[in-house]
Amino acid sequence: MSAAPITGGDVPALPRGVRLQFNQVRGQWFLQGPERVFEPDEIAVEILKRIDGVRTVDAIARELAVEFAAPEAEIAVDVAAFVAELLAIRMLERREAGP
Amino acid sequence: MKTPPPAPPVALLAELTHRCVLKCPYCSNPLELERRSAELDTATWLRVIDEAAALGVLQISFSGGEPMLRPDIAALVARAVERGLYTNLITSGVGFSPEALERVAQAGLDHVQLSVQGVEDAAADHVAGHGGSAAQKRRLAAEIARLGLRLTVNAVVHRGNVDQIPALVRMAEDWGAARVEIAHVQYYGWAVANRGRLMPTRVQVDQAIADLASERARTAGRLVIDAVTPDYYASYPKPCMGGWGAQNINVTPSGRALPCHAAETIPHLVFDNVRDRPLAEIWRDSAAFNAYRGTDWMAEPCRSCERRERDFGGCRCQALLFAGNAAATDPACSLSPLHDTLLAVAQRDSAPDGGAYAYRGYARP
Ligand code: SF4
Ligand code: SF4
């Protein structure tokens, strides 16, 4: 839970008590935590779906760069900023990178 | 003319029981507490959970009273999880064994909100009206940490403990909370009966606002601190949820469906019961939900005010209490003709009086 800046090697994860779900009734994705309901946009959903406690920030950016045919460096900056924002409000946590 | 159906509710507050070991003098339950014999059975609650999910509800809060006193709590949580709802348990931490929480955690519970009455045991137990309660809460907090559940510590603040905000936040941090709720007492029901012992002074409220800001700065990035603001000394009222009948359904232990937990204080409202009508129908058609939906019901000064979609004219229950009319402007608003009356009440009731709390219980104060 350090306030160290996000690096490409960081591994973000959804902690227990935070859920990413597609709601069938509303036909929409939601990211939920205690007293919090976020409606992530399309790009945010694509990032969140890849946050699994295994992939690094760099790996997520690489996949999205391929998927959306966009420059990887730019996407990496966006992903890191997105992750940092959610870390600060405890909607994500940082996992130790695997061996 | 047919009005379009309202957007689905976001949250269901399931008040499973009014039974509770503690007797907090600001309890948000009504003065007439519902008895065990009147409580909905398991099958009805399971149906209500199914109906809520089908309606598009996203979060369910199991509350009370003390929801852990219901033997079927784990089964209800399991059903809510199965239906894809985000599940909150709002608990006092007293009157049940930590092992019972383990079963609820295993059912898939997302989040526990644990209330505290203060940082010193004797003072906290005095507010709760129950010896040993603070120690029991500490034990439950340890169990929550062991189970790896997400924790919010909820502290209701009033004249007797509002000076402890920094210490309360530190205690929550020690317990491993990710979120803290500092809730100034809201005055309806039991809290009105105890207003003369609970109302903070203006100096205390100003200090509380400063303390909150510095605690937020100190814990930024590791703790979320939410606050329910003290409105008696404010210029504008606190917003009524996201609007009356816009986001929340509250179901009482006996099945009455309310737009908000204090709505029963408005005597002319008629509430439907989930035993008689499906939740979707209640949400759409119930007179109580439609009474103050939108802004058409408003009178001046709210009607032409630019803040009307932001605070929805403030609290209907507070309007009723002071104006005798639930459709009036909340007197916490400086534009209300009754604003000075409210301020005078706050000033009068914040004076030290030394009286004893009227504790919550089955006999009215
Ligand atoms: S007049 Fe009504 S809408 Fe305007 S700020 Fe006051 S309470 Fe809110
Ligand atoms: S009517 Fe008052 S008590 Fe009820 S939700 Fe609105 S602000 Fe809160």
Side-chain angles (χ1 to χ4, degrees):
Chain A
M1 228 182 305
S2 76
I6 306 298
T7 65
D10 277 324
V11 179
L14 293 177
R16 172 146 196 195
V18 176
R19 286 214 215 168
L20 176 72
Q21 277 176 312
F22 185 79
N23 184 284
Q24 297 290 349
V25 178
R26 295 167 180 258
Q28 193 188 335
W29 286 91
F30 291 94
L31 179 69
Q32 296 192 75
E35 301 293 322
R36 293 291 186 283
V37 175
F38 294 101
E39 303 180 33
D41 63 24
E42 214 178 309
I43 300 290
V45 168
E46 291 308 317
I47 299 173
L48 287 165
K49 278 186 193 162
R50 289 168 173 79
I51 291 178
D52 57 1
V54 177
R55 290 170 167 98
T56 62
V57 166
D58 277 348
I60 294 168
R62 214 171 302 129
E63 283 183 28
L64 292 172
V66 172
E67 176 132 355
F68 294 98
E72 191 179 318
E74 242 169 69
I75 295 215
V77 172
D78 289 348
V79 172
F82 179 78
V83 167
E85 204 180 305
L86 290 180
L87 272 173
I89 53 169
R90 303 289 302 266
M91 294 296 287
L92 289 179
E93 65 186 15
R94 229 189 277 242
R95 284 281 157 81
E96 296 304 318
Chain B
M1 212 172 67
K2 203 144 165 52
T3 44
V10 176
L12 174 71
L13 185 71
E15 285 182 12
L16 299 182
T17 179
H18 277 162
R19 289 172 289 132
C20 184
V21 175
L22 304 190
K23 307 183 200 124
C24 305
Y26 45 71
C27 182
S28 61
N29 289 159
L31 294 172
E32 299 279 5
L33 296 172
E34 293 174 1
R35 298 190 178 265
R36 180 179 203 153
S37 54
E39 289 177 11
L40 296 180
D41 62 10
T42 306
T44 308
W45 274 118
L46 292 173
R47 173 172 61 75
V48 169
I49 290 167
D50 291 352
E51 289 176 355
L55 185 53
V57 165
L58 299 171
Q59 298 215 351
I60 184 165
S61 294
F62 294 99
S63 176
E66 175 48 61
M68 291 295 291
L69 297 184
R70 286 276 303 209
D72 54 1
I73 179 69
L76 299 180
V77 169
R79 177 64 72 94
V81 171
E82 199 182 303
R83 293 286 178 262
L85 298 177
Y86 186 95
T87 50
N88 304 288
L89 178 76
I90 301 184
T91 182
S92 68
V94 181
F96 58 93
S97 69
E99 293 76 57
L101 186 67
E102 179 154 13
R103 285 194 295 277
V104 178
Q106 280 162 0
L109 182 71
D110 288 301
H111 165 237
V112 182
Q113 177 171 314
L114 174 59
S115 62
V116 297
Q117 279 72 18
V119 285
E120 292 143 18
D121 285 11
D125 289 350
H126 174 63
V127 174
H130 185 80
S133 68
Q136 257 182 279
K137 285 163 193 274
R138 246 189 327 273
R139 280 197 292 278
L140 189 75
E143 180 67 5
I144 291 166
R146 189 184 72 78
L147 293 169
L149 288 170
R150 170 128 319 190
L151 170 66
T152 290
V153 169
N154 164 277
V156 174
V157 293
H158 46 84
R159 188 158 84 232
N161 69 359
V162 69
D163 306 319
Q164 301 175 356
I165 289 174
L168 285 163
V169 174
R170 282 208 164 76
M171 185 170 87
E173 275 186 286
D174 290 346
W175 288 2
R179 179 171 167 273
V180 177
E181 220 174 68
I182 301 291
H184 283 260
V185 167
Q186 305 297 300
Y187 293 95
Y188 22 70
W190 291 94
V192 174
N194 283 292
R195 201 167 47 196
R197 275 134 251 152
L198 295 171
M199 182 65 71
T201 66
R202 179 159 217 150
V203 172
Q204 282 184 312
V205 166
D206 289 343
Q207 184 60 45
I209 291 167
D211 286 346
L212 184 70
S214 56
E215 285 305 302
R216 277 183 172 147
R218 186 178 69 75
T219 61
R222 46 177 215 275
L223 205 57
V224 175
I225 307 181
D226 289 334
V228 176
T229 54
D231 58 0
Y232 270 46
Y233 299 111
S235 306
Y236 294 112
K238 66 185 164 59
C240 172
M241 309 172 282
W244 182 274
Q247 295 186 344
N248 302 302
I249 302 186
N250 186 5
V251 176
T252 74
S254 68
R256 282 146 70 80
L258 318 178
C260 100
H261 61 286
E264 283 170 307
T265 61
I266 303 177
H268 72 266
L269 292 181
V270 178
F271 303 104
D272 287 303
N273 195 299
V274 297
R275 295 183 212 250
D276 312 324
R277 283 184 102 177
L279 209 57
E281 216 177 284
I282 293 176
W283 179 248
R284 192 186 59 222
D285 299 332
S286 160
F289 280 83
N290 284 319
Y292 306 110
R293 246 188 193 133
T295 54
D296 285 351
W297 54 271
M298 286 179 178
E300 294 299 350
C302 294
R303 192 173 190 83
S304 55
C305 178
E306 54 166 34
R307 294 175 63 93
R308 67 181 180 273
E309 307 264 0
R310 233 194 297 170
D311 64 28
F312 309 96
C315 176
R316 296 306 90 232
C317 303
Q318 197 150 273
L320 178 93
L321 196 63
F322 280 86
N325 169 14
T329 295
D330 183 341
C333 179
S334 53
L335 300 172
S336 159
L338 292 167
H339 187 62
D340 290 344
T341 309
L342 178 114
L343 212 60
V345 165
Q347 262 146 12
R348 183 197 69 206
D349 285 352
S350 66
D353 86 330
Y357 290 136
Y359 286 114
R360 165 206 202 273
Y362 280 88
R364 295 184 59 150

